[in-house]
Amino acid sequence: MVYTGVLTKMQTEFLEPIQYYLVFKHDFIHVNQLLNKTIDIKLVGHQCLSCGLDRPIYRQGFCKTCFFDKPLAGDWIMRPELSTAHLDKEDRDLDYEKKVQLQPHIVYLANSSNVKVGVTRKSQVPTRWIDQGAHEAVEIVEVPNRYLAGITEVALKDHVADKTNWRTMLKNDIKDEDLLAWRQKLKPYIPEEAQPYFIENNSETHIHFPVEQYPLKPKSLNLSKTPNYSGKLVGIKGQYFIFEDNTVFNVRANEGSVVELTV
Ligand SMILES: [Zn+2]
């Protein structure tokens, strides 16, 4: 079978284990069913996720022009504390920013390679945790807008990591942490404006990924250097394909690439 399409991050279903889907214009691929099969990935072009043109991808699946122009690539996406819609202040498109920023957001602790703090829209729980390859996570606060979540994350970053080590995550070189104890420990550092939104009672969420063999020394596949790769798929974790020869492929980092997948 040959499937051709533009890569976007895999859709997921929170089952045990996680179910992964690649959504192409004409195909819907259940990636779990490709485990233990040889997959050939070939880069055939690019397609910006915003304008649709065949231009080099700059960041987040967008060409350079769209990345700096479009409301869905504003700085407040990566840095939630820069959100201003709650002040009626526009960054690039106030209607869009209100729609996205003025909705319930969660500040969470997730453990993928270490305990880290992060922010997501409430509607993205547990998707965000799955995408990061976290095997456990818990909410800390639920706030009514992105700004409050952002300033909480910034305050907590002084006391807990905000980055994942992707190699450690993929090697599964992990330990279980008591995230509920972490939540209590971090509580005093939550900014005053967000204190009323502290979540006391939620339990930890545990996530199981479909991995049959973890890579000992993960090597990341870069399609611009290796436009044609072939390997046996032995796992999926976070947004990564894991192959038998230690090659790993970050689907999300390749958004906007047009590929031909042969199974
Ligand atoms: Zn574009």
Side-chain angles (χ1 to χ4, degrees):
M1 278 300 283
V2 182
Y3 307 97
T4 305
V6 186
L7 287 178
T8 52
K9 82 179 184 90
M10 288 180 279
Q11 303 296 304
T12 57
E13 207 177 353
F14 185 33
L15 295 174
E16 233 187 282
I18 301 299
Q19 300 296 304
Y20 284 95
Y21 306 92
L22 266 180
V23 185
F24 286 172
K25 194 169 173 200
H26 300 291
D27 293 294
F28 189 75
I29 307 161
H30 186 192
V31 186
N32 299 60
Q33 290 181 351
L34 307 185
L35 284 168
N36 293 311
K37 293 190 173 146
T38 298
I39 302 180
D40 193 90
I41 307 175
K42 191 172 161 195
L43 178 68
V44 294
H46 293 97
Q47 185 177 319
C48 168
L49 298 185
S50 179
C51 67
L53 296 176
D54 185 353
R55 288 177 168 169
I57 299 299
Y58 184 66
R59 272 180 213 163
Q60 295 168 31
F62 300 128
C63 71
K64 201 164 180 177
T65 309
C66 289
F67 183 79
F68 287 105
D69 284 355
K70 299 293 175 186
L72 56 173
D75 286 340
W76 54 269
I77 302 272
M78 300 304 275
R79 297 183 56 197
E81 71 276 16
L82 301 179
S83 300
T84 54
H86 64 291
L87 302 172
D88 240 359
K89 240 182 98 186
E90 178 171 86
D91 176 30
R92 295 180 183 181
D93 175 346
L94 189 56
D95 279 344
Y96 176 81
E97 285 145 14
K98 280 188 168 174
K99 211 171 71 193
V100 180
Q101 294 177 17
L102 306 186
Q103 59 171 287
H105 277 68
I106 299 288
V107 182
Y108 60 84
L109 292 173
N111 181 9
S112 39
S113 56
N114 49 277
V115 181
K116 63 154 252 167
V117 62
V119 165
T120 188
R121 281 174 284 157
K122 191 182 182 187
S123 61
Q124 291 302 106
V125 169
T127 307
R128 180 89 185 114
W129 303 337
I130 296 169
D131 289 349
Q132 289 176 339
H135 66 281
E136 54 185 359
V138 74
E139 295 95 337
I140 309 183
V141 301
E142 177 180 339
V143 287
N145 65 54
R146 191 166 183 87
Y147 169 76
L148 283 173
I151 61 166
T152 304
E153 183 188 34
V154 168
L156 296 183
K157 271 183 202 176
D158 290 339
H159 308 278
V160 64
D162 65 326
K163 300 263 184 310
T164 293
N165 180 324
W166 63 271
R167 285 177 199 278
T168 308
M169 181 276 284
L170 289 171
K171 282 154 69 180
N172 211 36
D173 202 356
I174 52 174
K175 58 175 186 174
D176 285 329
E177 294 271 0
D178 184 347
L179 297 180
L180 303 184
W182 270 94
R183 180 167 68 187
Q184 285 305 323
K185 199 174 100 183
L186 292 170
K187 186 180 179 185
Y189 305 111
I190 296 171
E192 210 178 312
E193 294 153 274
Q195 280 285 356
Y197 303 104
F198 182 69
I199 292 173
E200 204 86 44
N201 299 317
N202 290 24
S203 52
E204 283 182 19
T205 297
H206 290 262
I207 298 171
H208 300 100
F209 297 94
V211 181
E212 308 202 347
Q213 184 192 317
Y214 290 100
L216 297 173
K217 284 181 94 174
K219 300 177 296 205
S220 193
L221 171 62
N222 179 340
L223 286 181
S224 50
K225 289 187 192 139
T226 312
N228 200 345
Y229 168 81
S230 185
K232 184 175 157 192
L233 186 72
V234 292
I236 319 161
K237 190 175 185 193
Q239 282 287 330
Y240 283 84
F241 289 171
I242 299 169
F243 294 96
E244 197 178 29
D245 66 356
N246 283 313
T247 298
V248 298
F249 180 64
N250 185 346
V251 175
R252 186 164 210 181
N254 284 278
E255 284 188 316
S257 297
V258 183
V259 295
E260 210 175 84
L261 292 184
T262 308
V263 183

